[in-house]
Amino acid sequence: MSEVKLTQLSHGGGCGCKIAPALLQEILGVAKEKLPFANLLVGTETSDDAAVYRLNDQQAIIATTDFFMPIVDDPFDFGRIAATNALSDVYAMGGTPIMALAIVGMPINKLPVETIRAILQGGESVCKAAGIPLAGGHSIDSVEPIYGLVAIGIVHPDKLKKNSSAQAGDVLILGKGLGVGVLAAALKKNALSDYGYAQMIATTTQLNTVGSKLSDLQAVHALTDVTGFGLLGHLLEMCRGSGLGAELNFDQVPILSEALPLAKLGYGPGAIDRNLASYGHEVDFASHLDNWQRRVLADAQTSGGLLVAVAPDTVEAVLSAFKDAGFAQAAVIGMMKTGAARVAVS
């Protein structure tokens, strides 16, 4: 298995495989009307993390799917990262996963059975850690290796957290450090240290279970996770859905320690340029910011951190929830404000 270079079998990796935001909007169409189903609590209208359907007054079902091509060469790690990333969308709605199905596309003429099995075992290990069954799925013979999950969860309808419910004056908290795309790009160019790889695996396989706990806090007004569109892209989705603007303080944004020097050297996935081309006109960067700083805010995160908009008087409770769950880099990074759906970065 060590001789198989999974990343060389695919043209992209991780959430960097996402279609660029502007092109995706063109494909889906400009108008996103709420579908005429009273119990569909969340659909496509605000580009939220998952669909949510109310079953009764006490339960709503969360349904999401996420899959991508390899971001690392180790098959077991690839499976773990993909599964963690898929389950994150349930946590980002304030929900609790209850079951998953596997999505498997493999070039069976290029990969040994043992490699494919290791990818699936990686996904199974994450589902086990989340306390849910991997209950089935679907597989195809594909040109590039693809793996992910359909994730199903539940949430009380009154505790559902959307990306579109932020309020002016809310404080923004980010749960994980940025830089996964930077580390992955360095890995592809054989420029990533062993410690850098370990840091990348540690952050991308850390389940965002804290999202389930945040659902109990009424003062948590909006919640999403940061993935392929970068911090700026997913914050802009929050701004548009909430009809607000946002301010970011770059110096407060957590960045993975091993990614920082690589970002300054210019490492990063092609998704950064696609992201900035899609929404850069909606971001006001302070003149003193360097190009690498602008780029890292648009870096495509795979299994990134939760982004929380919370009332100021509950900030410490939210930070404590993150710290207690093992998210050491969780930090206040800015705030929501009245105004146009733009982000100002100072």
Side-chain angles (χ1 to χ4, degrees), residues 182 185 189 259-269 272-273 291-292 295:
V182 171
K189 296 183 179 180
L260 186 59
L262 293 167
K264 291 179 178 179
L265 290 173
Y267 285 94
I272 292 178
D273 295 324
N291 187 51
W292 75 266
R295 286 173 54 83

Side-chain angles (χ1 to χ4, degrees), residues 48-62:
D48 218 325
D49 298 294
V52 183
Y53 191 90
R54 180 172 48 212
L55 299 176
N56 51 54
D57 291 342
Q58 302 295 318
Q59 294 176 312
I61 194 82
I62 301 171

